[in-house]
Amino acid sequence: MGLVSTWSEAGDLTANRIESVRRGQPAVVAFRYRIRIPEGTINLKEGVDIVHDDDLVVRRFRDVDRRVDSPGLYTWEDAMTFETAEWPLGDLTATAAIGELQLHRTSERVSTTFEVTSA
Protein backbone atom coordinates (compact mmCIF):
# COMPACT_ATOMS: atom_id res chain seq x y z
CA MET A 1 0.00 0.00 0.00
CA GLY A 2 1.27 3.48 -0.73
CA LEU A 3 0.74 6.99 -2.01
CA VAL A 4 1.38 7.22 -5.77
CA SER A 5 1.72 10.03 -8.28
CA THR A 6 -0.68 8.29 -10.70
CA TRP A 7 -2.37 4.92 -10.89
CA SER A 8 -3.86 3.26 -13.96
CA GLU A 9 -2.83 -0.41 -13.78
CA ALA A 10 -1.27 -3.11 -11.63
CA GLY A 11 2.38 -2.31 -10.97
CA ASP A 12 1.82 1.43 -10.53
CA LEU A 13 1.86 0.95 -6.74
CA THR A 14 5.58 0.23 -6.97
CA ALA A 15 6.50 2.24 -10.09
CA ASN A 16 4.82 5.53 -9.08
CA ARG A 17 5.24 5.55 -5.29
CA ILE A 18 5.76 8.97 -3.66
CA GLU A 19 6.18 10.10 -0.05
CA SER A 20 4.19 13.36 0.01
CA VAL A 21 1.42 15.34 -1.64
CA ARG A 22 0.79 19.09 -1.66
CA ARG A 23 -2.46 20.13 -0.01
CA GLY A 24 -4.97 20.87 -2.76
CA GLN A 25 -3.51 18.23 -5.09
CA PRO A 26 -5.27 14.85 -5.43
CA ALA A 27 -3.91 12.12 -3.17
CA VAL A 28 -3.91 8.74 -4.92
CA VAL A 29 -3.76 5.85 -2.44
CA ALA A 30 -2.95 2.50 -4.08
CA PHE A 31 -3.27 -0.90 -2.45
CA ARG A 32 -2.77 -4.55 -3.38
CA TYR A 33 -4.66 -7.47 -1.92
CA ARG A 34 -4.79 -11.24 -2.26
CA ILE A 35 -7.87 -13.31 -1.64
CA ARG A 36 -8.77 -16.97 -2.10
CA ILE A 37 -12.04 -17.20 -3.99
CA PRO A 38 -14.25 -19.84 -5.57
CA GLU A 39 -15.10 -19.89 -9.25
CA GLY A 40 -17.48 -17.17 -10.45
CA THR A 41 -18.13 -13.64 -9.25
CA ILE A 42 -17.49 -12.34 -5.76
CA ASN A 43 -18.57 -9.04 -4.27
CA LEU A 44 -15.91 -7.10 -2.39
CA LYS A 45 -15.97 -3.88 -0.40
CA GLU A 46 -12.73 -1.88 -0.62
CA GLY A 47 -12.28 0.58 2.24
CA VAL A 48 -9.69 3.26 2.98
CA ASP A 49 -9.36 5.43 6.10
CA ILE A 50 -7.17 8.54 6.21
CA VAL A 51 -6.11 9.50 9.76
CA HIS A 52 -4.14 12.42 11.24
CA ASP A 53 -3.14 12.40 14.94
CA ASP A 54 -5.71 9.66 15.71
CA ASP A 55 -8.50 11.76 14.13
CA LEU A 56 -10.36 10.37 11.12
CA VAL A 57 -9.95 12.75 8.16
CA VAL A 58 -11.98 10.72 5.66
CA ARG A 59 -13.35 7.20 5.23
CA ARG A 60 -14.34 5.85 1.83
CA PHE A 61 -15.84 2.51 0.76
CA ARG A 62 -16.79 1.16 -2.63
CA ASP A 63 -18.28 -2.11 -3.85
CA VAL A 64 -16.32 -4.06 -6.47
CA ASP A 65 -17.26 -7.25 -8.30
CA ARG A 66 -14.41 -9.59 -9.34
CA ARG A 67 -15.00 -12.48 -11.74
CA VAL A 68 -12.71 -15.51 -12.05
CA ASP A 69 -12.92 -18.65 -14.16
CA SER A 70 -11.42 -21.05 -11.62
CA PRO A 71 -11.04 -21.21 -7.83
CA GLY A 72 -7.74 -20.09 -6.34
CA LEU A 73 -5.70 -17.34 -4.75
CA TYR A 74 -5.90 -14.08 -6.69
CA THR A 75 -4.10 -10.74 -6.35
CA TRP A 76 -5.53 -7.39 -7.39
CA GLU A 77 -4.17 -3.85 -7.23
CA ASP A 78 -6.47 -0.85 -7.07
CA ALA A 79 -6.45 2.80 -5.98
CA MET A 80 -8.69 5.53 -4.61
CA THR A 81 -8.25 9.25 -5.25
CA PHE A 82 -8.97 11.80 -2.53
CA GLU A 83 -9.29 15.59 -2.62
CA THR A 84 -6.91 17.15 -0.09
CA ALA A 85 -7.92 20.85 0.04
CA GLU A 86 -9.24 20.52 3.61
CA TRP A 87 -6.66 18.06 4.92
CA PRO A 88 -4.30 19.00 7.76
CA LEU A 89 -0.60 19.44 7.07
CA GLY A 90 1.90 16.89 8.35
CA ASP A 91 2.02 13.12 8.54
CA LEU A 92 -1.15 11.22 7.72
CA THR A 93 -1.81 7.48 7.69
CA ALA A 94 -3.88 5.65 5.08
CA THR A 95 -5.24 2.24 6.06
CA ALA A 96 -7.01 -0.15 3.68
CA ALA A 97 -9.05 -3.28 4.28
CA ILE A 98 -11.05 -5.45 1.90
CA GLY A 99 -14.27 -7.21 2.85
CA GLU A 100 -15.76 -10.22 1.06
CA LEU A 101 -19.50 -9.73 1.35
CA GLN A 102 -20.94 -13.24 0.80
CA LEU A 103 -18.73 -15.06 3.31
CA HIS A 104 -18.34 -12.07 5.65
CA ARG A 105 -14.53 -12.17 5.61
CA THR A 106 -12.32 -9.11 6.05
CA SER A 107 -8.65 -8.84 5.16
CA GLU A 108 -5.90 -7.76 7.51
CA ARG A 109 -5.58 -3.99 7.47
CA VAL A 110 -2.54 -2.53 5.70
CA SER A 111 -1.24 0.99 6.29
CA THR A 112 1.13 3.57 4.90
CA THR A 113 2.23 6.98 6.18
CA PHE A 114 2.77 10.01 3.97
CA GLU A 115 3.13 13.77 4.33
CA VAL A 116 0.77 16.54 3.28
CA THR A 117 2.77 19.69 2.57
CA SER A 118 1.69 23.31 2.10
CA ALA A 119 0.55 24.36 -1.36
Side-chain angles (χ1 to χ4, degrees):
M1 166 167 212
L3 185 70
V4 295
S5 56
T6 59
W7 188 91
S8 61
E9 62 186 11
D12 286 352
L13 172 57
T14 303
N16 299 332
R17 187 181 206 102
I18 57 175
E19 300 300 321
S20 65
V21 63
R22 287 193 340 230
R23 182 166 31 184
Q25 298 297 311
V28 183
V29 177
F31 46 92
R32 184 178 299 128
Y33 57 94
R34 293 173 52 142
I35 188 169
R36 184 171 301 282
I37 58 173
E39 180 179 0
T41 301
I42 63 164
N43 308 106
L44 303 173
K45 184 173 288 284
E46 299 175 341
V48 174
D49 288 352
I50 307 291
V51 175
H52 176 261
D53 289 340
D54 295 325
D55 292 326
L56 183 66
V57 175
V58 64
R59 171 175 285 161
R60 184 174 302 155
F61 292 100
R62 69 173 169 220
D63 294 325
V64 177
D65 291 337
R66 301 285 188 190
R67 170 138 182 80
V68 298
D69 293 328
S70 60
L73 186 61
Y74 290 87
T75 301
W76 285 287
E77 187 174 302
D78 212 338
M80 287 188 191
T81 302
F82 297 87
E83 295 301 323
T84 64
E86 303 298 319
W87 285 14
L89 297 177
D91 290 334
L92 281 77
T93 300
T95 303
I98 310 303
E100 195 281 311
L101 302 179
Q102 287 91 351
L103 301 176
H104 306 290
R105 296 181 296 173
T106 303
S107 70
E108 294 292 321
R109 297 167 62 88
V110 293
S111 297
T112 189
T113 301
F114 60 93
E115 184 180 8
V116 175
T117 61
S118 58

